[in-house]
Amino acid sequence: MTVWSRRRFLVGIGAASLAVHHANVALAADDVDAALAEVARARASLKTLVGPFTQERTIGLMSAKVKSTGTLTLVRPERLRWELAAPDSVVYWVGPEGVAYQSAHGRGRMPVTQGKLAVALEDIRTLLGGDLAQLKQRYELRVVSRNDEGISFEATPRTTAAPAGTAQSGKLDKILFSLDRERVRPTRATLVEGPRDRTEITFGTLERDVAVDAAKVRAPF
């Protein structure tokens, strides 16, 4: 093979590899869009979700794991009550006006753009029963698995910088979450906040479309 022939051969391999890479990227994007469309169709008629959850928070700085139980109340399209039982004894309300919280130690409000807690709660509201496509504004989404038993996603932060004080600037380091076979109810979620801090959430049986008092999903102050 002549030098010119070898050069053309190598160029051809490189072009083919690049084409395959772009094709795989396109297929991955199509797979995500198809999966998001599935979830959107399944959730179109969803009104409420109510039920228990357990969470285990790993705090790297303290080398500790904190286990909690709680109850969630979601009213679509934009309200969530996230209540942790004793000994935590704290309630969070998430809505378009921001995040409110109340515990034995006090209460307060914060915009959804302020800090990882507020952003995490807003992201939880979205993955529980919202429009998952909204996560694409701040995260790169990948379909981890998709079959008759359910669907799982991975969300990692987009690399583009965000202005300080925006929701994107306070986003989590990674979110892993799974939905049931109906593509409606969440089954598990992992919120990664740093190299050693994460929260593992396991959802119990969530009832859909049960009646919810509007006052329950609004902070009373």
Side-chain angles (χ1 to χ4, degrees):
M1 182 182 292
T2 65
V3 173
W4 174 245
S5 297
R6 285 198 300 272
R7 183 175 299 168
R8 290 183 63 185
F9 177 70
L10 293 173
V11 169
I13 290 177
S17 299
L18 187 61
V20 169
H21 169 73
H22 285 307
N24 288 338
V25 170
L27 286 173
D30 289 344
D31 196 33
V32 169
D33 290 340
L36 293 177
E38 275 187 31
V39 176
R41 287 193 298 270
R43 287 180 168 178
S45 62
L46 179 66
K47 296 180 177 62
T48 66
L49 276 181
V50 179
F53 65 87
T54 60
Q55 70 177 38
E56 182 175 277
R57 179 170 170 77
T58 300
I59 306 172
L61 184 62
M62 299 170 58
S63 299
K65 290 187 177 183
V66 180
K67 295 183 178 180
S68 307
T69 60
T71 303
L72 68 93
T73 304
L74 173 79
V75 176
R76 277 179 41 102
E78 55 193 5
R79 294 204 173 271
L80 169 67
R81 176 189 173 104
W82 189 262
E83 183 172 1
L84 295 175
D88 301 274
S89 301
V90 59
V91 181
Y92 299 96
W93 294 269
V94 184
E97 68 278 3
V99 174
Y101 63 91
Q102 181 170 284
S103 71
H105 305 291
R107 64 186 187 181
R109 289 181 176 273
M110 66 187 87
V112 293
T113 57
Q114 182 179 316
K116 285 192 175 181
L117 173 60
V119 176
L121 286 168
E122 175 65 12
D123 288 339
I124 288 174
R125 184 198 63 76
T126 300
L127 69 87
L128 280 175
D131 179 7
L132 294 182
Q134 292 181 356
L135 293 177
K136 293 176 69 176
Q137 298 174 13
R138 304 190 304 278
Y139 298 93
E140 296 284 353
L141 295 182
R142 182 174 70 89
V143 177
V144 178
S145 64
R146 182 181 175 200
N147 51 48
D148 292 341
E149 296 304 311
I151 188 167
S152 297
F153 294 89
E154 178 187 75
T156 53
R158 291 188 177 275
T159 56
T160 53
T166 66
Q168 186 171 338
S169 67
K171 59 185 176 293
L172 296 162
D173 290 351
K174 182 184 290 186
I175 305 174
L176 300 167
F177 60 99
S178 301
L179 307 179
D180 65 3
R181 64 177 61 196
E182 296 177 353
R183 276 48 172 170
V184 174
R185 299 173 180 84
T187 56
R188 296 184 64 86
T190 300
L191 312 178
V192 180
E193 304 167 59
R196 296 187 297 170
D197 296 345
R198 65 174 54 210
T199 302
E200 304 274 355
I201 305 171
T202 302
F203 299 96
T205 301
L206 303 181
E207 297 185 72
R208 64 172 293 174
D209 301 335
V210 298
V212 173
D213 183 353
K216 187 174 184 178
V217 290
R218 294 175 182 269
F221 54 89

